[in-house]
Amino acid sequence: AEYMGGTKGLRGSRSTGLGLSNSREFIARLGGTISVVSSTTPGSSGTVFTITLRLATAARAWAGASAAEPSRPRDLCGERVGVVPKRTLVVDDSALSRRVLRGMLSRLHIEVDDAADGEAALESVLEAARTNRSYDLVFLDLQMPRLNGRTAVARIRAAKLEFEPIVVACSASAYDNDTEELFHSGFDGVLPKPFTQAQLLQTIDLATQRRARTQSAA
């Protein structure tokens, strides 16, 4: 099977952080190839990506990867660790990114809500707290309109909620930010895009532990 996607008409669109190198690695794992051809000639298709997959091979590779994926993360000693939160809020101005993360969390049987920017996220967190349905975990994109991730987490912490949610910075730009600085800003974990299910689980575990330590020290 072959899929060709061009960028014509998409100039100025916002990246979701899934670069060509990551796409090539993922497609290679499925036994396929990806190539790119670019042209600046007026009237041309611009940049065209061509993906070639043998569907039977890809299906076997995907099934094998899913079977090998742990249902719970493991620490360095191989022991299963952590507890999966029950209610989660996913905040990202990219509908695609929200849908992908919702799907991964749903596999863990977690109740998931979402919001498209920091302002809506803050309203959702405060409303959930008022109605005794507080979120256990919040994933915040760092770069969003109206209210960015740093400002949103600062306001969540400033609200002094009875139940403080675990907040994870989930962004392609997380690679460019100092992790300790993000922790100091109020985040409990950092999850750079793209990520695997295992990386997601490990980040939830580490962020849960950091939040517990922060509350104990308060």
Side-chain angles (χ1 to χ4, degrees), residues 96 108 197:
L96 174 60
L108 303 174
Q197 185 90 2

Side-chain angles (χ1 to χ4, degrees), residues 10 12-19 92-94 97 141 143 172 193:
L10 296 178
S13 62
R14 185 179 185 276
S15 170
T16 60
L18 302 176
D92 200 305
D93 59 332
S94 165
S97 293
D141 187 22
Q143 300 178 353
K193 300 174 187 174

Side-chain angles (χ1 to χ4, degrees), residues 90 97-106 112-114:
V90 172
S97 293
R98 294 198 304 273
R99 185 164 64 248
V100 169
L101 185 49
R102 282 188 68 113
M104 296 176 81
L105 292 167
S106 295
V112 186
D113 294 329
D114 61 30

Side-chain angles (χ1 to χ4, degrees), residues 13-41:
S13 62
R14 185 179 185 276
S15 170
T16 60
L18 302 176
L20 178 58
S21 60
N22 296 310
S23 300
R24 184 188 302 120
E25 179 182 355
F26 178 72
I27 292 166
R29 290 179 181 178
L30 298 181
T33 61
I34 180 172
S35 60
V36 58
V37 176
S38 297
S39 175
T40 58
T41 304

Side-chain angles (χ1 to χ4, degrees), residues 17 22 142 171-179 182 190-195 199:
N22 296 310
L142 293 178
S171 175
S173 64
Y175 285 110
D176 302 323
N177 289 271
D178 183 80
T179 300
L182 290 173
V190 180
L191 182 62
K193 300 174 187 174
F195 50 85
Q199 289 169 331

